[in-house]
Amino acid sequence: MTRKKMMAGNWKMNKTIGEAVALAQDISNQYDDRWPDACDVVVCPPFVDLKPAKTVFEFDRVEISVGAQNVHWEESGAYTGEISVPMLKEIGCAYCIIGHSERRGYFGETNEDVNKKAKALIAGQIKPIICVGESLAVRDEGTTLEFVCAQVRAAFAGIDAGLAKECVVAYEPIWAIGTGRTATPEQAQEVCQAIRATLAEMYGTDIADAMRVLYGGSMNPGNVKLLIAQPDIDGGLIGGAALKAESFVQLIEACL
Ligand code: PEP
């Protein structure tokens, strides 16, 4: 089974509108017609930058999607500070990151919240990028696979096979995020393979084989090739290296 690679840039809480437009334009200027066949390219800026970034890509007619970094599961109502699926939809978001370890760690996002967000996104035809990953304490305890696979089961609870297929899973070991410490290709492959095996238990091999599992955690132009050469790693969710067009483009071009 050949799965198309994906490179998704998570800009986190970086870039004002002006800066976001400049970065989107810089990526767009380096766009190559070979990209869409080899790799789905997604940028996930802060909410306020979504429309401006999308406008750059639309104007330039490049196949680069935008995604959000969070969403609320309710469609509307008294949820001060939150953003809903219909709002993202109207902007033209194709993807939304959910369950990022920073949201789980700093904002108390639970597995149940991730599951509700995944269901709301799927219902709104926005593809969830579901993040899972263990802390250093869990890794040192030797329970990484159990921990991560339980997060996967919880995120997909009650989601049927036809809809699960639309989701992307990102394995992001917390100890490798923003630390410069990357999981070795073997460590990343071991967990991504276990994630796919869990998806196969839930949905069967055909669906699991069609779903993309990304690696995230200090991926950069120097380590990307070996990581994406692993059989169960279908691309990257990129933080730091997505904030400069030069490095993000190198990651995309590693997929060509
Ligand atoms: C992330 O936060 O999703 C991430 C992978 O960050 P970094 O690439 O900076 O480790």
Side-chain angles (χ1 to χ4, degrees):
M1 156 74 59
T2 46
R3 292 174 293 269
K4 199 203 278 191
K5 294 276 190 280
M6 172 182 283
M7 284 292 163
N10 174 12
W11 294 5
K12 309 194 185 191
M13 196 175 72
N14 293 294
K15 308 293 177 188
T16 62
I17 291 178
E19 292 165 346
V21 167
L23 177 53
Q25 191 64 65
D26 205 355
I27 297 167
S28 181
N29 289 346
Q30 297 177 60
Y31 183 81
D32 181 318
D33 286 333
R34 293 174 303 162
W35 289 7
D37 285 338
C39 182
D40 284 330
V41 179
V42 186
V43 300
C44 302
F47 287 129
V48 294
D49 299 334
L50 282 166
K51 184 72 180 167
K54 175 83 182 157
T55 303
V56 170
F57 300 141
E58 273 175 357
F59 185 81
D60 287 356
R61 298 178 189 275
V62 293
E63 282 188 46
I64 300 176
S65 303
V66 298
Q69 300 172 16
N70 185 30
V71 71
H72 196 276
W73 53 85
E74 294 291 347
E75 286 203 353
S76 62
Y79 300 99
T80 302
E82 294 293 326
I83 297 284
S84 71
V85 172
M87 294 169 187
L88 297 181
K89 187 103 191 112
E90 199 167 307
I91 288 172
C93 276
Y95 295 89
C96 180
I97 298 169
I98 53 174
H100 191 281
S101 59
E102 287 152 16
R103 295 221 54 89
R104 292 180 191 256
Y106 300 142
F107 304 104
E109 193 163 312
T110 64
N111 280 337
E112 291 69 34
D113 296 338
V114 174
N115 179 246
K116 285 194 266 189
K117 291 178 183 197
K119 286 174 173 161
L121 286 165
I122 292 168
Q125 281 135 27
I126 296 177
K127 295 180 170 65
I129 301 176
I130 300 171
C131 300
V132 294
E134 82 287 3
S135 63
L136 197 52
V138 169
R139 178 153 285 266
D140 288 344
E141 237 170 57
T143 53
T144 295
L145 298 186
E146 293 88 324
F147 182 87
V148 171
C149 294
Q151 285 184 318
V152 171
R153 276 191 212 94
F156 283 92
I159 296 177
D160 72 31
L163 300 173
K165 218 168 48 186
E166 301 306 317
C167 300
V168 177
V169 179
Y171 167 55
E172 299 208 305
I174 297 169
W175 47 272
I177 294 181
T179 58
R181 188 176 156 189
T182 324
T184 64
E186 295 72 25
Q187 284 173 322
Q189 164 58 22
E190 183 189 28
V191 184
C192 291
Q193 185 176 37
I195 290 171
R196 199 176 305 285
T198 302
L199 295 170
E201 272 168 33
M202 297 180 80
Y203 299 118
T205 321
D206 285 356
I207 302 264
D209 280 350
M211 291 174 69
R212 283 181 293 195
V213 180
L214 311 180
Y215 167 77
S218 300
M219 191 184 262
N220 61 51
N223 59 29
V224 60
K225 283 267 188 201
L226 282 177
L227 286 161
I228 63 171
Q230 301 302 310
D232 287 294
I233 301 181
D234 304 314
L237 182 56
I238 324 294
L243 292 176
K244 292 220 159 57
E246 191 191 358
S247 42
F248 189 54
V249 167
Q250 284 180 46
L251 295 175
I252 297 163
E253 301 212 322
C255 301
L256 298 180

